[in-house]
Amino acid sequence: MKNMRFIGYIILSMLAGVYTAKAQTVPKTQEGEQVLFADPFIFYYDGLYYAYGTSSFDGIEALVSTDLEHWEVPGGAKRHLALHKEDVYGETWFWAPEVYQVNGKFYMYYSGDERICVAMSDSPLGPFKQVEKKPMFNEKAIDHTLFIDDDGKAYLFFVRFNDGLNVWVAELEKDLVTLKEKTLHPCIKTTQPWEKTCGGVNEGPFVIKHEGRYYMTYSANSFECQDYGIGCATATDIMGIWIKYGENPLLQNEKGLVGIGHNALFTDKDGKLRIVYHAHKDKKNIHPRAMYIGDVYFKKVRGVDRLRISKERIVPRISRTGSNQ
């Protein structure tokens, strides 16, 4: 946030009631330090965990791990850019990456210049590139997540700027790149008291399916707010009504952490459901935000499974600054 143009943009956006600034300046990776990824995502593939996050103004960085606690920079360098701005749409503000393997290809969904984009690669380490350097949707939007249902239909959940920041969904074509704009459907927006501490924000959606029900974790309040937290909404139809838990937030201001949010869920090598999220550096400083990992489980309430997030957490750290992966 040293760039004056960027600071001015943040101020104007906040005055307009819209929160847009999510980038962070991260120092070079040092052995023993925490993993300094905001908006983190973890992907398990072929015996390795891959982590991606918001951390760079010129692309998306990646780290690898075998145990979730110790992380390495692949390739023996100080950092590894899995996606570089020269290969894709966007000049800056590379945020909230997610990576999926489908039919032998790896798809990275990311936000660039406040537009949702997708790039492809033959490897989870990239380089991720676009054949056509363009966004998926021709309006401001961020924080998208892919969900493929049991019938093979693919959906993209993402955040629009059309009424504060709120979550929408749309179907994708079979190429997983083309958005079916005629299917656009609103999911959630700011409605609960805990979400209104600072800013009209619902963002960072992530969706899973469990016993026929759809579960969406999401974040509320401006990311700059210490009351940034994680809630949950459920639906029995993706294109239907999403109902938020009355007991939200599920994770907020927990055990010394503030600014907890923008999570993703993943299954570890033992089949256990996990959650990865970021938090502020400390109670006085937002940046650089760091990555944390917890457990997710379901608790039966009146015959229906309710999603829960553990209070315990792993603090991922850099084990060394290079590897031969």
Side-chain angles (χ1 to χ4, degrees), residues 33-325:
E33 73 176 7
Q34 286 185 243
V35 174
L36 302 178
F37 280 173
D39 312 329
F41 179 85
I42 292 178
F43 171 68
Y44 183 70
Y45 172 73
D46 197 23
L48 276 179
Y49 295 101
Y50 296 82
Y52 313 84
T54 298
S55 62
S56 175
F57 285 101
D58 56 356
I60 299 296
E61 295 184 36
L63 295 169
V64 295
S65 173
T66 58
D67 62 5
L68 296 177
E69 293 187 42
H70 308 94
W71 293 82
E72 300 178 1
V73 181
K78 290 294 184 181
R79 64 173 188 155
H80 177 85
L81 277 179
L83 176 145
H84 193 282
K85 70 178 185 178
E86 292 181 358
D87 299 324
V88 296
Y89 175 88
E91 288 297 319
T92 187
W93 301 343
F94 293 97
W95 302 335
E98 295 191 358
V99 174
Y100 301 87
Q101 185 204 30
V102 184
N103 298 327
K105 281 283 186 183
F106 295 91
Y107 295 76
M108 178 183 284
Y109 296 86
Y110 72 96
S111 302
D113 290 347
E114 294 183 324
R115 297 292 191 276
I116 56 175
C117 307
V118 59
M120 289 179 280
S121 174
D122 293 323
S123 165
L125 290 177
F128 285 89
K129 300 182 179 182
Q130 289 181 307
V131 176
E132 293 185 78
K133 296 180 181 180
K134 65 178 185 180
M136 302 174 72
F137 189 41
N138 194 28
E139 70 173 56
K140 282 190 176 184
I142 58 173
D143 292 0
H144 44 356
T145 186
L146 175 71
F147 177 79
I148 300 177
D149 211 343
D150 300 333
D151 60 3
K153 278 189 178 180
Y155 300 85
L156 197 71
F157 292 82
F158 59 96
V159 174
R160 296 180 76 180
F161 288 50
N162 58 338
D163 181 18
L165 269 70
N166 52 96
V167 178
W168 287 63
V169 65
E171 285 187 40
L172 290 175
E173 298 285 2
K174 291 183 179 180
D175 63 5
L176 302 183
V177 173
T178 307
L179 201 71
K180 296 182 180 180
E181 294 191 24
K182 291 184 178 179
T183 68
L184 277 165
H185 176 76
C187 298
I188 59 170
K189 62 180 181 179
T190 306
T191 55
Q192 296 184 322
W194 75 275
E195 302 172 338
K196 300 177 180 180
T197 301
C198 39
V201 177
N202 276 178
E203 64 176 16
F206 194 88
V207 176
I208 62 170
K209 190 175 186 179
H210 171 74
E211 295 189 356
R213 189 178 298 270
Y214 303 96
Y215 294 77
M216 178 195 296
T217 53
Y218 69 95
S219 297
N221 291 311
S222 163
F223 95 94
E224 295 178 308
C225 183
Q226 292 191 1
D227 287 335
Y228 195 54
I230 300 171
C232 184
T234 64
T236 54
D237 178 356
I238 285 179
M239 295 295 185
I241 298 173
W242 289 81
I243 301 173
K244 295 179 179 179
Y245 281 179
E247 63 268 33
N248 282 339
L250 299 186
L251 197 64
Q252 184 187 54
N253 298 324
E254 186 61 39
K255 293 187 176 181
L257 295 187
V258 297
I260 296 171
H262 199 112
N263 78 275
L265 304 182
F266 67 99
T267 302
D268 70 14
K269 61 185 178 182
D270 298 318
K272 188 175 183 179
L273 190 59
R274 302 272 198 160
I275 183 170
V276 59
Y277 53 88
H278 74 236
H280 290 180
K281 179 181 178 181
D282 52 44
K283 291 184 178 181
K284 294 183 179 180
N285 301 281
I286 299 169
H287 298 292
R289 291 164 287 171
M291 181 172 90
Y292 298 88
I293 298 169
D295 295 335
V296 172
Y297 60 97
F298 292 91
K299 181 179 180 181
K300 193 77 72 176
V301 178
R302 292 187 292 277
V304 177
D305 279 348
R306 307 282 278 191
L307 186 144
R308 295 290 182 260
I309 301 172
S310 70
K311 307 302 182 185
E312 303 304 316
R313 57 182 181 256
I314 293 172
V315 181
R317 295 187 180 277
I318 301 297
S319 61
R320 53 188 173 131
T321 56
S323 77
N324 295 314
Q325 298 294 339

